[in-house]
Structures are given as C-alpha cells and as structure tokens.
C-alpha cells in the first residue's frame, strides 16, 4: 500500500519562535502523478519542501519516500532515495558546457582521475533525446536561453537518478511558449514513470498541468483536490480563506495629454553592449502602457533611464513636453515621477530603516519632513501613521524595521510612499512579483486608481496576465527594442508570447535579427 | 524585535567585556599573580581618587574623537582606517595655526585652532573619500596609505621646517598661549572637586562631549545623517530615492576626518601645546576598536572610550605596584575587542536563526531576493 505513494509526509510540524511554519501537515504524492502545491507566500510550501529535501529538520512528523522512512536525513540521503530538486534560481556554471554542468560533481571518470568527456556527452545526449529536451551537450550555458537552462537543471537532477522531481516555481522566468514546452516535457516525464511535485502560485498552470493539488494556508493544508474537479476560484478561496477578485474591474481609459514621450532612446551596458536601441514610447495622462517581455530584454534599463538611474546614450525623454534626459533621479522625482522598482529589497527599501523612515525615502529633504536640513520627526511619524491607516499596513507600527514585514507588506510600503505625492507619471516595475494574492489585489487596484486620477502609468511586468488585465496599450520589448505595440483589446496571450521571443512578424515594428537575449546588466551600487 | 535588537547591541559588548576580564584573569593566574589583586589595583588606579578619574577622562578624550571618526564613516558604509593620518594632519595644521598667529584673544584663537584641526582631518579624509566616490577605489587601501604619507609628511615638516631651535626633540615651539585650552583643575575645585593642578584633564573633554552630541544630532536628526545612513545600509535604494550617493560618501568622509582632526584639541591645544613628532602612537587605530566596541553609535563610542580610558589609566598603576607588566592591559584590550567582534557575530547569528526562518517563510520565495541584496552589499 505504501508503495503506491511516492511521497508520504505525516504530521509535519515546524515551528519558529514567532510562527508555526508547518502545522501537522500531511502530504501524499502518488507515484507517477503531477502534484501541485499551491499557497500564498508564507503558507509554508517552501518549509515543507526544505524538510522533505533534508535541508531543515522538522520538529515532529514522519517522512516516507516510496515507502522507505527517512529519519533525520540530509539532502544527500534524499538524493539517494530518488529525490531531485530543481531550484527556482538556477545553479549552473556559465562557462561550462551543458554536459559538463550536468555531470558536475559526479563525473564519469577515466582511470579514476580524468573526466570521461565522451561518456558524459553520451549520457546527457541519451537523457535529452529520451524526454525531448533537445539539448546540445556541447553548447555553453552562457549561450542558452532561460528556458533551456532550466532543462539543463532538470537533466542534472535526472542524471543523478531522481525518480521524484520537485520544481520550485518553475514558470516564473519563462515565456508562454517556454511554459508550454516545459509542460510537454513534464508530461513526458510522467509517462516515463517519474513523479513530479510542482510548487506554484499560478492557478492557471495548476488547472492545466496538475493531476492533484494540495493547497496550503498559514502552515496548514486547507485542501487536497483533483485538478480536474476544481476551479481557480475554489483554489484561490482555499489559499486566501475568502473570496478573491481574480479579475480587476477596469473602466475604459479616458486618456488626456501626453505625459511621457520617449524618442529614439538608446543605452549601452557596462561592456559596451547595446541594452536599449531606438526606443519610442508615448503615454498619455490617464492610461496604462504595459511593457511585456522576457526578463533581460531591456525593460530594466528602460526604467532606469526614465528614472534617471542610468544615462541615455542617445535619444530623449520628454516629461510633459520638457526634456528630462540626463537629469538626476532627484530632479526627475521632484517633477512628479514615482517609481516602484523591480527589486523592492535591493532598490525600494532600506530594510534596516523603520517603516516611518522608509515612507519618506526620497521626500525626506522636503517640507514637511525636514526644514533647513533638520528632520522633523513628528511630521515623519504622523505621515507614517496616516499611510499605515490608509493602506492597512501590517503590523500597524511605524517604528518596526521594514525588513521584518512580509513581502506583501513591504511592497505596500513602497506603493503607499510612491502613490502618496500625486505623481504625474508612475513607473511600476514588476509591482506584484513575489507578493501574496491579497497584496496583488491591492497593488492592481491602486495602479488603476492612479490612472483614473489622471496619472500616466508605465507598467513593466513579466506576468502576461497582469499586463493584459491592467494595460490600455501594450508594448513588447525584445533585445532592447520595442518590437510590437498593441491596443489591449486586440491581442491574445499567444501573440504577445510570440512577440516576446522576437519571432513575431505580424507588423511593421517587428524585428527580424536573431540574437536570443540581450545581456542582462547589473548597475553598480 | 526592535527591542530585542537593541538588547543584543547592548548585551554583546557588555558580555564581551566581562568575558575579556575573565580571560585576562586566567592570563594573570598563568603568570602567578592573583587576578583579584591585579584588578583591584587596576580599578583603584582608575577610580580610587579624583586624580585617577581625571586621568581616565584625559585618556578617553582622544579616543572619543578617533572612535567617532570611524563610527561616522562606518554609518555611510565606509571603513575609515585613516584616523591616524587624519589626526596627524589635523594636529599639525592646528599647531601651525597656533604658531602663525602672534597675538589673538582666546575667544578668537581657540575657535581658529579648533577649526584648523577639524579642517586638517577633513582635508586628509576627503582625498580617499573623493577617490572612492569618483573612481570606486576602496577606501581601506587609500586611508592606510594616507596614514603613511601624513606621518612622514608631518615628521619631515617638524624636523626640517618647524623644529624648535636648540632642542633635540623633534617638536615645534609652543603655540600661542591664548590658544591653549585651560586645564579643568581650577574649575573642578570651584565646584568642590579636589582635582590636583597636575592633572592634565583639560577643556578638550568638553569639546569631545559636544562632538558626541553633534555626531548624534547629524546622524539622527538631519537630512544629511538620514542620507548617510541610507547610503550605508542600501546605496542602491538611496540612489533610487534621489540621494546623491557620491556626494554623501564624500561628505561622510569629510566629517569623519574632521572628528579625527579634533584629537588635536586634546593633544596640541590642551596638553602638549605643540606638535610633537610621532606623538599619537596609534590613537587613530584604537579608534577602530572603540567604534567597534561602541557599535558605531555616538553614545557607544563615548562609553567604549571611557572603558579604554579606565584600562589605560589602571595599567599605569598595575605597572608601578605589581610585577604584572602593563602590556597585560594591552592584551586585555585586544581580547575584549576580539570577543566583541566574535560575540557580536555569534549573537547576531543566533538571533537570525531564531527570527529569520520565520521571516523567510513569511516571504517564501524571497530568500533569493535577500541573498541578491547581500551580494550587492
């Protein structure tokens, strides 16, 4: 009987001083099924997987892999028992080939000391063709797209003999096409007898791919259902504990004057590579322009140029008709540009600062928060209390360090701060990345509220559904250029996804040359 | 959480000091002396008389300035190892100002020399500050090199240009008398405190206390201090918020150097009344230890400097009255610092283990974002 289950976790409990991350969690994953685990951030999915993989010991509970009990195991024991983990962030060596990466750490050897390169190639090739990975074992990782890198990670796990695969948020970095290709591979693996555990927060994918679903909330399992017999709405309710607005109600835009105009914008990266080329954009008051694209195709750099964080190489940025190209971030901010940065912890917040201090970041030098260079703590605190109340920030304490807040509340701090000054242009970059459904709802509604109050909104997002629900117009970036623009009503996800790969040729703006990815650039702190 | 953090930041230095005394006691035992007797003598030397307390304050005074210098730069994320060089240049400029002016009322002379001292330190610190801000060159290398230049340069100037005529000692003549900072013995006696006339404690300690207050005010009550702390904690976020990171770095370094330069108020204006070649013998470096022990806060620096003042004062007594060499006190100081640093790491890690996972689950996938931030820092 036990053998029917690939994974059996019973009564797993893991407590930390302030939270019970897992509270008597049971998980059954049947052999040969694709099992999705869904839940909001903080629901305890990651803790459960860490316990399963042997990274964290549970306080209580029992774990069986294919009937064999694991006790105080380490990751190496889990791997030996046939478990394989594909992490959200890849762990590959860029300068090595596919085959070298796959065998790394467990290389086939000649005479015990030399790597048997031929054997390595052969085994990788065999795995690759068996499941339709279509990987060239001799290609260097640095030349691969994100989707292919992920396949290398999966092959790596299979090479180590995994029969049970755990994939942590595997679709976050993929284009829609890459997602469907991944699903084909995962189904092939299932046919071949592998068991797959799939951690995600995207409910569409759960319905499409999974056989069964375990839903978690606040460290507990709130439901185990057959994917075929459930709906997104049901899953969302189990995840959040209340009805959730999955669709944002949006009135048609009443666009006014042009707020932002970008003409022929170009920028170069640190190694002299072109990261932006000939970008033209226009956003009017009261409309949302969505910028879609696979990460690393110039969106980050575009936002940086618009907010003054990066120098433009050519072209101009006009704000309300005035040239702001090359102005400092402060000057641009003072002109009414608000910015929700893509990485809230790296650019949006000073985590060690209190919530009150973070809520004035960027406006601390102006009245009423300071006068003649001296901070006015009363005004800062009062402002914080006000925003905390208006935006329902938790905990409602202006004096806690921002770093102790949940991801969703950290994002709410940034949104509250940036929306507070009645901005004329709002640049929102990945505004809902990694935040829970409740906070997503809040961010989306706030964005539309700003739009309806007459702000121009530039929304950069990797989530196509987000782009499609919020935008009035959509621009697609690929290789540092805008390769297509659409009115939001007239385009489907398929077409957008195609444009994101640079393969769409349906319009005059589409581009034809073939380099796969722009070099991602990291700006120096 | 915040209270907990504050609790640790107080607890770890205190625990480290206690542990250091324990280890120091073992060392004393090892050389065949009684730890209780030695510590008794040490503390009697420091606290047994008004004279001793005066000496503690006198010894702590330059360490307060040097510690503030390190702590202030640290708040902007800069590791200013150049306090030593900055205090030499500050002291030299201070003495030079005191030699150049022939007659001036104390009301003008004293401020002039104080400004000269601060300006000298600021000038010296601004060079590595600028190199860091403009070219991204690491300040640790440059501040260390600037130390060698400062010590060599002042030594050359004292020996070859400003040396007092007819003296073997490499020192300048005495500075303008009206620029001397008064000793506090007289004032203390007026308040009924029997501080002997020979006690070197002078008005520089008041400047030091004012400097502690000023550093606190700048850091926590001004926009500049807010920006300095923001840049130190997360330069990318500060930049995004429109803060001019380069300007902030240079300003922080400048102020840091000014604090170091103010060591001259004690050494030149209050005590020697001249510039003596190689007078410091590592005050600037002790400042690093003081700042570390004081957790880089102005008040912490004050307390740490006082502790070091106690140890230095008591060491003399131990040296005179026992067979234990005064070097033992150096050992004790070094052990304290090592234990503070280690204790801090251990305590912080303990805390993180207890609190972090809760937050990590609170942010689930965001552990990676945190790691990325760590890398950026």
């Amino acid at each position: 009987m036990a053998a029917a289950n690939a994974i059996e976790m019973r009564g797993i409990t893991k407590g930390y001083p302030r939270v019970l991350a897992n509270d008597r969690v049971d998980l059954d994953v049947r052999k040969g099924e694709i099992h999705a685990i869904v839940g909001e951030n903080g629901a305890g999915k990651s803790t459960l997987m860490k316990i399963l993989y042997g990274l964290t010991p549970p306080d209580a509970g029992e774990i069986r892999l294919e009937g064999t009990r694991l006790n105080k195991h380490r990751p190496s024991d889990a791997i030996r028992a046939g478990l394989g983990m594909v992490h959200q962030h890849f762990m590959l060596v860029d300068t090595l080939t596919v085959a070298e990466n796959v065998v790394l750490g467990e290389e086939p050897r000649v005479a015990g000391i030399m790597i048997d390169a031929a054997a390595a190639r052969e085994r990788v090739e065999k795995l690759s063709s068996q499941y339709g990975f279509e990987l060239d074992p001799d290609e260097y990782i640095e030349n691969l797209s994100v989707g292919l890198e992920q396949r290398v990670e999966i092959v790596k796990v299979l090479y180590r003999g995994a029969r049970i695969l755990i994939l942590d948020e595997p679709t976050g970095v993929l284009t829609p096409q890459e997602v469907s290709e991944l699903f084909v591979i995962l189904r092939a693996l299932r046919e071949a007898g592998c068991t797959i555990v799939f951690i995600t927060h995207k409910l569409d994918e759960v319905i499409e791919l999974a056989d069964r679903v375990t839903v978690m909330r606040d460290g507990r399992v709130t439901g185990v259902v057959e994917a075929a017999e459930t709906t997104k709405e049901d899953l969302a309710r189990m995840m959040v504990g209340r009805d959730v607005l999955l669709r944002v109600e949006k009135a048609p835009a009443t666009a006014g004057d042009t707020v932002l105009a970008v003409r022929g914008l170009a920028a170069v990266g640190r190694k002299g590579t072109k990261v932006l080329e000939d970008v033209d954009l226009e956003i009017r008051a009261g409309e949302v322009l969505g910028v879609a694209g696979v990460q690393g195709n110039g969106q980050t750099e575009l936002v940086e140029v618009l907010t003054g964080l990066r120098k433009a190489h050519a072209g101009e940025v006009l704000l309300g008709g005035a040239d702001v190209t090359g102005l400092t971030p402060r000057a641009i901010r003072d002109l009414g540009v608000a910015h929700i940065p893509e990485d809230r912890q790296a650019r949006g917040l000073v985590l060690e600062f209190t919530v009150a201090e973070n809520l004035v970041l960027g406006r601390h030098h102006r009245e009423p928060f300071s006068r003649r260079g001296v901070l006015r703590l009363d005004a800062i605190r009062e402002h914080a209390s006000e925003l905390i109340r208006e935006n329902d920030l938790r905990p409602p304490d202006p004096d806690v360090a921002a770093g102790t807040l949940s991801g969703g509340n950290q994002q709410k701090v940034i949104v509250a701060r940036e929306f507070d000054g009645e901005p004329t242009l709002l640049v929102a970059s990945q505004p809902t990345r990694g935040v829970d459904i409740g906070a997503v709802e809040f961010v989306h509604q706030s964005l539309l509220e700003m739009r309806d109050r007459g702000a121009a909104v530039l929304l950069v997002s990797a989530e196509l559904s987000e782009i499609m629900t919020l935008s009035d117009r959509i621009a697609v970036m690929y290789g540092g250029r805008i390769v297509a623009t659409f009115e939001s009503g007239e385009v489907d996800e398929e077409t957008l996804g195609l444009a994101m790969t640079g393969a769409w040729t349906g319009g005059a703006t589409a581009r034809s040359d073939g380099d796969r990815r722009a070099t991602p650039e990291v700006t120096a702190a | 959480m915040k209270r907990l953090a504050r609790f640790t930041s107080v607890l770890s230095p205190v625990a480290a000091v206690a542990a250091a005394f324990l280890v120091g006691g073992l060392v004393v035992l090892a050389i065949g002396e009684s730890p209780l007797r030695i510590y008794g003598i040490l503390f009697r030397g420091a606290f047994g008389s008004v004279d001793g307390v005066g000496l503690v304050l006198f010894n702590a005074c330059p360490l307060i300035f040097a510690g503030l210098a390190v702590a202030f730069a640290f708040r902007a994320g800069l590791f200013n190892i150049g306090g030593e060089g900055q205090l030499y240049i500050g002291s030299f400029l201070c003495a030079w100002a005191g030699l150049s002016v022939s007659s001036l009322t104390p009301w003008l002379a004293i401020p002039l020399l104080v400004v000269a001292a601060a300006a000298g330190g600021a000038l010296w610190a601004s060079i590595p500050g600028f190199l860091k801000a403009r070219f991204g060159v690491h300040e640790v290398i440059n501040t260390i090199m600037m130390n060698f230049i400062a010590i060599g340069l002042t030594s050359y100037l004292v020996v070859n240009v400003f040396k007092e005529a007819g003296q073997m000692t490499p020192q300048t003549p005495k500075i303008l008398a009206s620029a001397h900072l008064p000793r506090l013995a007289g004032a203390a006696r007026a308040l009924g405190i029997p501080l002997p006339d020979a006690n070197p404690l002078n008005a520089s300690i008041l400047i030091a206390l004012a400097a502690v207050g000023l550093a606190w005010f700048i850091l926590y009550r001004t926009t500049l201090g807010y920006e300095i702390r923001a840049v130190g904690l997360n330069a990318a976020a500060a930049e995004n918020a429109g803060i001019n990171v380069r300007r902030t770095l240079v300003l922080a370094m400048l102020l840091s150097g000014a604090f170091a330069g103010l060591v001259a108020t004690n050494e030149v204006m209050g005590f020697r009344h001249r510039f003596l070649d190689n007078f410091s013998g590592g005050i600037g470096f002790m400042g690093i230890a003081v700042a570390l022990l004081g957790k880089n806060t102005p008040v912490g620096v004050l307390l740490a400097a006082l502790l070091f003042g106690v140890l230095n004062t008591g060491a003399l007594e131990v040296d005179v009255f026992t067979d234990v060499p005064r070097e033992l006190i150096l050992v004790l100081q070094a052990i304290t610092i090592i234990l503070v640093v280690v204790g801090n790491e251990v305590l912080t890690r303990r805390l993180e283990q207890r609190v972090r996972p809760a937050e990590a689950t609170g942010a689930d996938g965001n552990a990676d974002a945190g790691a990325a931030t760590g890398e950026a820092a």
Side-chain angles (χ1 to χ4, degrees):
Chain A
M1 180 222 130
N5 278 338
I7 302 172
E8 249 184 49
M9 296 178 90
R10 287 274 172 274
I12 301 294
T13 299
K14 177 73 183 177
Y16 294 110
R18 292 187 312 154
V19 289
L20 209 49
N22 280 171
D23 185 6
R24 287 160 287 158
V25 172
D26 293 340
L27 175 72
D28 285 312
V29 178
R30 292 179 194 148
K31 219 168 200 170
E33 72 171 354
I34 297 181
H35 192 107
I37 301 180
V38 296
E40 299 216 81
N41 295 317
K45 299 169 297 196
S46 290
T47 305
L48 188 67
M49 288 304 112
K50 275 187 207 158
I51 290 170
L52 177 61
Y53 198 56
L55 287 167
T56 319
D59 298 337
E62 217 181 278
I63 303 167
R64 283 174 198 278
L65 276 188
E66 297 182 330
T68 315
R69 178 153 182 208
L70 290 178
N71 194 15
K72 289 185 186 149
H73 64 296
R74 301 171 148 274
S76 52
D77 304 322
I79 291 168
R80 217 171 303 123
L83 202 69
M85 180 98 109
V86 176
H87 294 275
Q88 196 176 357
H89 289 255
F90 308 146
M91 300 170 183
L92 298 171
V93 184
D94 268 359
T95 50
L96 295 183
T97 65
V98 169
E100 285 166 339
N101 264 285
V102 168
V103 301
L104 197 65
E106 264 177 51
E107 305 89 351
R109 288 174 192 271
V110 180
I113 47 163
M114 280 180 327
I115 295 176
D116 187 347
R121 286 192 65 247
E122 197 182 309
R123 288 203 224 168
V124 172
E125 212 146 41
K126 197 173 148 220
L127 278 172
S128 174
S129 58
Q130 192 179 344
Y131 300 107
F133 284 102
E134 288 171 34
L135 284 170
D136 175 0
D138 296 324
E139 188 59 87
Y140 285 91
I141 297 294
E142 55 191 357
N143 299 329
L144 297 185
S145 67
V146 179
L148 289 175
E149 284 183 21
Q150 186 175 51
R151 293 186 196 179
V152 178
E153 285 284 359
I154 298 175
V155 174
K156 239 168 84 176
V157 173
L158 293 173
Y159 173 79
R160 280 157 180 73
R163 298 178 300 277
I164 306 165
L165 271 70
I166 302 169
L167 291 98
D168 189 5
E169 300 274 357
T171 59
V173 288
L174 303 180
T175 64
Q177 274 76 14
E178 286 173 325
V179 170
S180 3
E181 286 165 18
L182 173 68
F183 285 3
V184 169
I185 289 175
L186 293 182
R187 289 193 184 106
L189 285 168
R190 177 178 59 188
E191 297 318 311
C194 286
T195 307
I196 292 162
V197 179
F198 183 80
I199 302 168
T200 188
H201 64 272
K202 293 185 185 170
L203 301 178
D204 290 313
E205 295 175 354
V206 173
I207 303 284
E208 188 188 336
L209 180 72
D211 300 311
R212 293 198 313 138
V213 190
T214 296
V215 186
M216 292 186 72
R217 179 174 79 234
D218 296 336
R220 294 179 189 210
V221 172
T222 50
V224 182
V225 290
E226 298 283 331
E229 292 163 14
T230 189
T231 62
K232 272 166 51 177
E233 284 72 19
D234 287 337
L235 289 176
R237 200 175 306 117
M238 283 188 269
M239 277 167 70
V240 183
R242 63 176 166 86
D243 283 318
V244 180
L245 282 178
L246 287 177
R247 289 233 154 259
V248 190
E249 297 303 321
K250 188 176 76 166
T254 46
D257 297 335
T258 299
V259 171
L260 175 77
V262 175
R263 305 253 175 271
L265 199 65
V268 291
R270 221 183 317 167
K271 291 177 207 146
T273 49
K274 284 179 182 166
V275 288
L276 281 182
E277 222 180 328
D278 205 19
V279 170
D280 288 324
L281 279 181
E282 202 161 284
I283 313 179
R284 286 171 297 165
E287 78 170 351
V288 177
L289 175 72
V291 176
V294 180
Q295 253 194 308
N297 276 286
Q299 304 96 313
T300 305
E301 290 79 7
L302 173 64
V303 167
E304 284 177 350
V305 171
L306 294 183
T307 51
L309 293 167
R310 177 185 284 267
K311 293 269 167 277
H313 183 61
E316 55 182 8
V317 180
L318 303 173
L319 195 65
D323 191 356
V324 301
T325 328
L327 291 189
T328 62
R330 178 166 288 182
I332 290 175
R333 259 176 189 276
D334 288 351
L335 287 169
V337 177
H339 177 206
I340 300 174
E342 62 178 13
D343 186 337
R344 63 175 163 270
Q345 299 196 328
R347 272 223 191 264
L349 294 169
V350 178
L351 293 175
E352 295 85 346
F353 268 15
T354 64
V355 169
E357 284 175 313
N358 270 296
L359 281 169
V360 295
L361 191 63
R363 285 193 292 147
H364 57 277
H365 60 293
R366 299 216 302 255
E367 300 242 15
F369 307 125
S370 64
R371 192 172 286 162
R372 279 184 231 103
V374 178
L375 295 174
R376 301 180 63 209
L377 299 186
D378 292 348
I380 291 172
R381 272 189 65 99
E382 200 176 300
H383 172 252
S385 307
E386 216 169 276
L387 289 186
I388 286 170
R389 202 170 339 105
E390 279 171 20
N391 298 287
D392 189 28
L393 294 177
R394 311 249 175 107
D397 180 355
D399 296 325
V400 295
T404 63
L405 269 51
S406 72
N409 273 295
Q410 288 181 5
Q411 191 70 348
K412 279 168 107 176
V413 170
I414 297 174
V415 170
R417 174 183 76 208
E418 298 298 323
F419 288 12
D420 181 49
E422 293 293 323
T424 51
L425 172 66
L426 180 65
V427 181
S429 208
Q430 318 290 356
T432 57
R433 176 185 287 169
V435 305
D436 48 62
I437 293 189
V440 169
E441 228 180 338
F442 168 84
V443 171
H444 284 175
Q445 250 142 22
S446 305
L447 277 170
L448 289 177
E449 217 176 283
M450 290 315 290
R451 178 197 78 158
D452 293 340
R453 276 196 268 163
V457 179
L458 180 80
L459 169 70
V460 177
S461 176
E463 304 268 347
L464 272 191
S465 58
E466 180 167 83
I467 293 274
M468 297 198 40
T469 38
L470 296 179
S471 308
D472 300 306
R473 289 186 301 123
I474 298 170
V476 181
M477 285 196 85
Y478 174 76
R481 292 166 179 267
I482 300 223
V483 291
T485 50
F486 305 96
E487 295 294 321
S488 79
E490 62 172 41
V491 63
D492 53 19
E493 246 180 72
E494 197 66 11
T495 317
L496 273 183
L498 218 54
M500 283 162 65
T501 62
W504 189 72
T505 49
T509 46
R511 113 201 193 97
S512 53
D513 63 356
D515 59 329
R516 286 274 305 169
R517 284 195 296 167
T519 321
E521 268 294 318
V522 183
T523 42
Chain B
M1 172 62 205
K2 198 182 177 188
R3 221 179 303 147
L4 196 63
R6 189 167 287 174
F7 181 65
T8 352
S9 75
V10 175
L11 184 71
S12 87
V14 170
V17 170
F21 273 102
L22 214 73
V23 177
L26 293 178
V27 176
V28 175
L29 265 181
I31 57 176
E33 275 276 4
S34 147
L36 284 179
R37 192 175 92 88
I38 299 299
Y39 285 138
I41 292 171
L42 193 148
F43 284 108
R44 204 182 58 223
F47 297 115
S49 65
V50 175
D51 193 28
V53 174
L55 277 171
V56 167
L57 294 176
F58 173 75
N59 283 325
C61 182
L63 296 178
I64 295 173
F65 292 120
L68 283 178
V70 176
F72 203 86
F74 196 85
R75 281 314 178 93
L78 296 167
F79 208 5
N80 180 10
I81 314 278
E84 188 78 352
Q86 290 145 25
L87 72 86
Y88 270 105
I89 297 294
S91 297
F92 190 84
L93 223 63
C94 174
W96 186 50
L99 292 168
S100 309
V101 184
S102 53
S103 74
L104 210 58
T105 84
W107 296 109
L108 289 175
I110 288 173
L112 174 75
L113 265 69
V114 170
V115 168
L123 170 84
W124 213 244
S126 71
I127 297 169
F130 170 79
L131 291 175
K132 165 84 173 186
R134 183 70 187 79
F135 303 110
V137 192
H138 206 290
E139 72 279 4
V140 165
I141 303 288
N142 286 325
T143 48
I144 292 175
M145 293 306 129
M146 294 296 283
N147 285 342
F148 291 123
I149 299 173
I151 294 166
L153 181 68
T154 53
S155 184
Y156 168 83
L157 287 171
V158 168
V159 172
N160 295 289
V161 186
F162 289 94
K163 198 162 96 72
E164 194 176 13
Q167 286 283 331
M168 292 297 291
T169 331
Q171 60 185 25
T172 65
K174 282 208 163 195
I175 60 167
L176 181 69
S178 62
H180 295 186
L181 283 175
R183 291 199 171 187
L184 292 184
R189 260 204 311 282
L191 294 169
I193 305 164
L195 188 66
D197 279 328
N199 193 289
L201 183 65
N202 61 76
S204 175
I205 188 74
L206 304 177
I207 298 178
L209 292 175
V212 169
L214 182 69
W216 177 86
F217 183 79
I218 293 175
L219 279 176
Y220 301 108
R221 289 290 182 273
T222 67
T223 49
L224 174 64
Y226 177 92
E227 296 188 354
I228 285 174
R229 289 184 293 129
V231 167
L233 292 169
N234 186 347
E239 185 192 20
N240 188 54
I243 293 169
N244 186 333
V245 174
R246 293 176 173 188
R247 174 177 163 271
T248 308
L249 287 177
V250 173
L251 280 177
M253 205 59 188
L254 219 94
L255 284 164
S256 165
F259 284 121
L262 287 174
V263 166
T265 58
N266 191 54
E267 301 297 312
V268 175
M269 298 170 71
F271 181 50
R272 286 179 227 280
H273 304 134
R274 60 170 104 238
F275 184 95
L276 169 71
D277 185 27
N278 256 317
F279 73 88
S280 163
I283 292 170
F285 298 115
M286 285 308 284
I288 300 169
V290 170
L292 265 176
L293 187 59
K295 297 266 165 179
N296 295 301
T297 66
V299 176
V301 163
L302 175 64
L303 296 175
L306 286 172
L307 173 72
F308 281 34
V310 168
L311 293 176
N312 287 339
T313 309
L316 275 176
E317 207 83 356
V318 170
D319 195 32
V320 173
F321 291 107
T322 72
D323 294 333
V324 177
R326 65 192 299 181
E327 280 73 25
L328 176 72
I329 302 301
L330 279 178
V331 172
L332 206 62
Q333 288 179 347
I335 292 172
T336 312
I337 291 155
I338 291 172
L339 286 172
V340 168
V341 178
V342 173
N344 192 33
E345 278 298 310
V346 172
L347 267 174
T348 332
R349 231 172 264 171
R350 272 277 161 80
L351 262 184
E352 273 174 7
Q353 267 173 9
R354 293 170 66 86
V355 179
R356 263 274 174 75
E359 276 153 19
T361 50
D364 243 11
N366 291 339
D368 304 297
T373 321
E375 270 163 34

